[in-house]
Amino acid sequence: DARVTQTPRHKVTEMGQEVTMRCQPILGHNTVFWYRQTMMQGLELLAYFRNRAPLDDSGMPKDRFSAEMPDATLATLKIQPSEPRDSAVYFCASGLVLMGRPNSPLHFGNGTRLTVT
Amino acid sequence: EDQVTQSPEALRLQEGESSSLNCSYTVSGLRGLFWYRQDPGKGPEFLFTLYSAGEEKEKERLKATLTKKESFLHITAPKPEDSATYLCAVRLRNNNDMRFGAGTRLTVKP
């Protein structure tokens, strides 16, 4: 089965440090989503891309978060500087959107659990 | 404002005791309603997509239905391995993003 791969699975860092999370979407998928999950807020959309172009990043704190897709096989989410309130599980998901076709579901990776002390 | 609300927050069932989970939505334009299952330490796993009112999908002990305002996930004769958090999500017509509900945490006791 094709899978979305996220690295690292766990990350513990100190406040103020830079954190980079990576995602390899399923080959052939043209959309990539970044979500953050906490007990209090559930799954929150941070940003999403179609054909590597950012379509919406309104869910991201712009002053510290950035998301990019350097190529079709890699999406990154960076936090600089990190803060304790950023502690959460960050999920990447990919899917296929074709004009005139029903949207495919998103397929999720197993997440990066980030702890900022 | 687009909203997705799931109820109950948590549900405890005995093995074999059938029940339903609810997902109600108020969105400006729906391009599909999705059900996912999430196990601890894992990402959400896709179960079903529903596109129009009246549509139904089934998989083993699960059946999802859709009306113009809500979706139900019916669980028939559940087993302990059905214990998980069940999430629903809507894909919006305007900007194509996916909004998730807070989930229902299901526990099935043997």
Side-chain angles (χ1 to χ4, degrees), chain B residues 42-100:
Chain B
K42 300 280 186 69
E45 178 187 340
F46 170 71
L47 293 172
F48 302 110
T49 310
L50 301 164
Y51 291 106
S52 55
E55 192 175 356
E56 297 183 352
K57 294 270 178 75
E58 278 190 73
K59 180 179 178 181
E60 295 180 358
R61 294 177 292 282
L62 300 177
K63 180 168 133 180
T65 62
L66 182 66
T67 72
K68 288 187 178 178
K69 293 183 179 179
E70 58 191 349
S71 177
F72 290 94
L73 185 64
H74 307 277
I75 302 178
T76 302
K79 298 182 177 182
E81 53 261 43
D82 295 322
S83 298
T85 296
Y86 290 85
L87 298 163
C88 79
V90 296
R91 176 157 263 156
L92 304 180
R93 186 178 299 279
N94 290 344
N95 57 12
N96 219 26
D97 75 9
M98 292 267 284
R99 297 287 173 88
F100 280 81

Side-chain angles (χ1 to χ4, degrees), chain B residues 5 18 27 33 56 66-67:
Chain B
T5 305
S18 302
V27 297
L33 185 141
E56 297 183 352
L66 182 66
T67 72

Side-chain angles (χ1 to χ4, degrees), chain A residues 74-88:
Chain A
L74 177 64
T76 61
L77 180 66
K78 192 172 294 187
I79 307 174
Q80 166 63 22
S82 57
E83 297 181 2
R85 60 180 166 150
D86 300 330
S87 298

